[in-house]
Amino acid sequence: MSDPGITSSALEEKLHLSRRQLGYSLGKINDWLMGLNLPVIERTRQGHFVIDQSVFSELNEDMENTVSATDTIILTEDQRVQLIIMMILSSEEELSLNHFTYELKVSKNTILNDLKKAQAFLEDYDLNIRYTRKYGYLIEGKEFQVRKLLMYITYLILQMSNGENRLKDLADIRNEQIDEFTDRLEQVENQLNLKFTDEKMKTMPYILILIQRRIKRGYTINSISIEYEELSDTKEYKATEELLYDMKDIPVSDRLFITLHLLTANVFSSEMAEDEVPNLVPAIDNMLRQFEKSACIYLQDREQLMEKLLQHIKPAYYRIKYQLTDTILFKGTLSQEFKEMHLLVKRSVGLLEQLIGSEIPDNETAYITMLIGGWMNKHGESIDKKVKAVVVCPQGVSVSRLMFNELRKLFPEFVFLDFLSVREFMNYTLDYDVVFSSTYLETDKKLFVTKVFLGREEKYRLRKQVMLGLYGYTPNEINVNRLLEIISNHADINNERALKQELTEYFDKDEDTAFVKQNITNKSMNLDDLIVPDNITLMDSASSWEEAFRKSAEPLVDSGKIEPHYVDEMIHYCKRDSYIVIGPNIAIPHAAPDDGANEVGMSLLRLKEGVQYTNDYKINLIITISAVDKQQHIHALMQLMNLAGSEMDKNKMIKADKIEEIYKIIQLYSKN
């Protein structure tokens, strides 16, 4: 900031840094700037730095104070509460108020207030903080709940700034202990033929050390709801035995808990037998089938998707069954395009919930939604002469997949080869040009550090930063007048004014291409946009359901939205499966997009007397759907689902004498 004109090479020479070290350092600076909600420092291809004026305005007044202020990180109230809980859980000596005030550097009154907050935090676990003169501060309650709390608090502290060092100091954990358990876990990976996520590999050694410590202090799990028969035959139980090979004094119930911890851990990749959890594969298959039915789509390469889902849902099965889902955090919120899909997924998991024996929490269905949504967005691309990119994320396969797909949309001109954990990235053999990562990495390639979830402005900044880093310019830096001079030196220009206007439009458009395309693709269509009055047909009866379905589809055929053979395929599907019935008296026949769907659309046939469809259903309302992709019709479909749930409004439609009466009800549901 004191010398904005300095170049990269001059900085490297002055500070004795390599090119890679300077890039890494600048990345750290940009991460700090983003933490202050300030624009990042960009670099041109010529090695100059581009610093936004707001950075100067915000920081230039007193650089000395700014720098010194960042050296000391002030803990928030929530962070102090988490550290107090960890101190009580991990300490091998009696704790008093003085211990807390010394470690956290706050007053006794502040600590007393924090202890009240800590007690409120523990209420969700049915645990209590108690103080006695003899034993100091203790956490009392069922040990299974204490272990859940321990796992969650460990995770939270490791997310703090300098979290690992804080945890080691507070809990008196030595580096040798961490290294020992890390080595043992890597052996478990080899034995189980899987790879834990980077996040899990970072967290598990601390958890295992602290559990071992509690067991030595006499805190063992006596009464537990873990089913011995269910876990003792798993390969994870055998791996636990290997993990604890020299710790013979650990009781069986605690070995089962550690087995459960391994079973619930997110993995990046694994090979598993389908019969490891009986009936899990049929339950996942049923979930996909229900999702396809709800979303009016047909998933491609279904078997491969089943394998991916099995890999994620197996640990989720144990997490949900034994109420350990609060140890797995879902960072951020689902993007808009996934929200409605998430609702459909939640409607499709009935058999899975039945198998587990409890409701599946939102954070787990969100991961499943991202897996299915990522699969739906998958498409092939030629990688010849294109920028090749990889995405690195330590948070697990589901979040990595989401990040991968978001970046693919933001940079449609790049070929995205793979999404990787940090450890996989270190040994990655394919050739690539660019790395997008949610964490800093040592690499000779172009590295762009980005958050997993990006807002519109953040996407704009990232795209601008990447284009500047790769090509040395952003479109708005191009001087069109100079470009015209160059062209006129080598060619005759018939209409200079028109050429200048077209070039200006082209370069201005380039910068926002990703957003324009996204907005068009993701435009939500309401039910009344698709079922318009011209697409509504009123009849009293039909001789067969086949005739009724053909009659329902006529407006879409006449308008060219579907080909005539689409109707034949639709009836063919309906003969094999009654999945089209979405509620009493209402059905949504449809075929696959490649069966002759030209444009998204819906048409409705009302039969006053109804028609028999199979032995189980009588249908009065038939809505034919043409879905050309997997997104455009979803919003309208959700509105239709809401309508299907109202007996009163369905009956009004069935009894209606005029198309306008039906359309008015459709408009009512299109507002939601």
Side-chain angles (χ1 to χ4, degrees), residues 100-118:
F100 299 131
T101 56
Y102 175 78
E103 288 291 346
L104 303 180
K105 297 176 176 57
V106 290
S107 69
K108 284 189 177 180
N109 283 337
T110 301
I111 291 295
L112 287 170
N113 185 59
D114 289 342
L115 281 166
K116 290 178 185 175
K117 298 282 185 183

Side-chain angles (χ1 to χ4, degrees), residues 10 36 77 187 333 338 359 405 415 459 579 618 624:
L36 297 174
E77 185 181 74
Q187 290 171 23
T333 55
F338 280 106
E359 188 177 334
N405 283 313
V415 174
K459 286 179 181 177
Y579 66 91
K618 188 174 184 181
T624 299

